Amino acid sequence: MNIVGIDPSLTSLGFAHQTDEDETIHGGVVKPKMKGFQRLDFLRSQVLDVLDKIRPELVVYEGYAMGIRGGGRVFDLGELGGVLKMEMYYRRIPILVVPPSNLKMFVTGYGGAKGKDEMMRTLAKHKGRLFKTDDEADAYGLVLMGRAWLNPRSRPRAREHHANRALRGCQIVG
């Protein structure tokens, strides 16, 4: 399973990936120092490098948070999402869109997890992995969700288990 997880952000985009050959999940963060179209182009090229290298069969993408503050930033983030999703569409890579609360539910057990620190602590505790940033931790969690999405046998048996409830709230696009 070649999977890429993307935690989209204009200032600190997190990504993680796992390939069939390597069970380790690798990740990183891209922090552009530019604005406008230059920033969109830079982030696009960074994501394309990952897609071209990994050739994923699935991209797991954190959806938009409805509580974003900052006026025009909402539109800027929407533009980034459109640019990145179009590139995946051109490459015929399906995208699993994960609402932020579903990512929290999948990782921590409930969708109202307090902040990204709780996500990082839970992943560190259960997966034995420390992260440099919360963006990288989110991308790692997205890859775990993608693995569960692609391999239903790996999911908990109980229909109402938090991981299964979290996956039911996701949607394939593209």
Side-chain angles (χ1 to χ4, degrees):
M1 285 184 255
N2 291 349
I3 301 169
V4 170
I6 298 176
D7 178 24
S9 169
L10 295 163
T11 57
S12 182
L13 183 142
F15 68 91
H17 59 86
Q18 181 180 35
T19 64
D20 285 330
E21 298 83 37
D22 186 358
E23 280 297 309
T24 305
I25 297 177
H26 303 276
V29 175
V30 178
K31 293 188 176 207
K33 300 288 186 207
M34 53 215 66
K35 302 269 186 213
F37 290 121
Q38 187 181 20
R39 174 170 54 192
L40 287 175
D41 186 53
F42 176 78
L43 289 169
R44 177 185 150 277
S45 70
Q46 297 298 303
V47 169
L48 290 181
D49 285 348
V50 172
L51 296 179
D52 290 343
K53 177 182 173 190
I54 303 302
R55 299 197 183 285
E57 61 192 85
L58 179 69
V59 169
V60 189
Y61 193 95
E62 186 173 18
Y64 302 118
M66 293 303 159
I68 296 175
R69 294 187 182 121
R73 287 186 40 101
V74 174
F75 299 110
D76 293 342
L77 192 57
E79 287 178 344
L80 174 63
V83 166
L84 296 180
K85 289 174 186 175
M86 284 302 297
E87 290 296 343
M88 293 166 218
Y89 172 77
Y90 293 147
R91 286 169 172 68
R92 299 188 194 294
I93 304 169
I95 307 162
L96 178 64
V97 178
V98 176
S101 61
N102 291 55
L103 174 59
K104 289 178 183 178
M105 181 187 302
F106 186 87
V107 171
T108 67
Y110 59 103
K114 300 284 189 243
K116 297 203 177 222
D117 288 341
E118 190 168 347
M119 292 270 298
M120 289 176 69
R121 280 193 307 275
T122 302
L123 286 168
K125 179 179 175 185
H126 295 291
K127 301 298 178 189
R129 171 90 189 263
L130 298 176
F131 300 93
K132 296 174 196 158
T133 69
D134 52 22
D135 304 298
E136 186 181 4
D138 281 3
Y140 182 93
L142 291 165
V143 170
L144 296 176
M145 286 188 83
R147 285 171 50 185
W149 181 272
L150 290 175
N151 185 7
R153 294 176 139 188
S154 70
R155 300 178 198 167
R157 288 183 179 214
R159 179 167 161 54
E160 288 307 310
H161 188 278
H162 65 86
N164 292 324
R165 288 194 334 260
L167 288 167
R168 281 196 298 271
C170 301
Q171 178 182 12
I172 288 280
V173 298

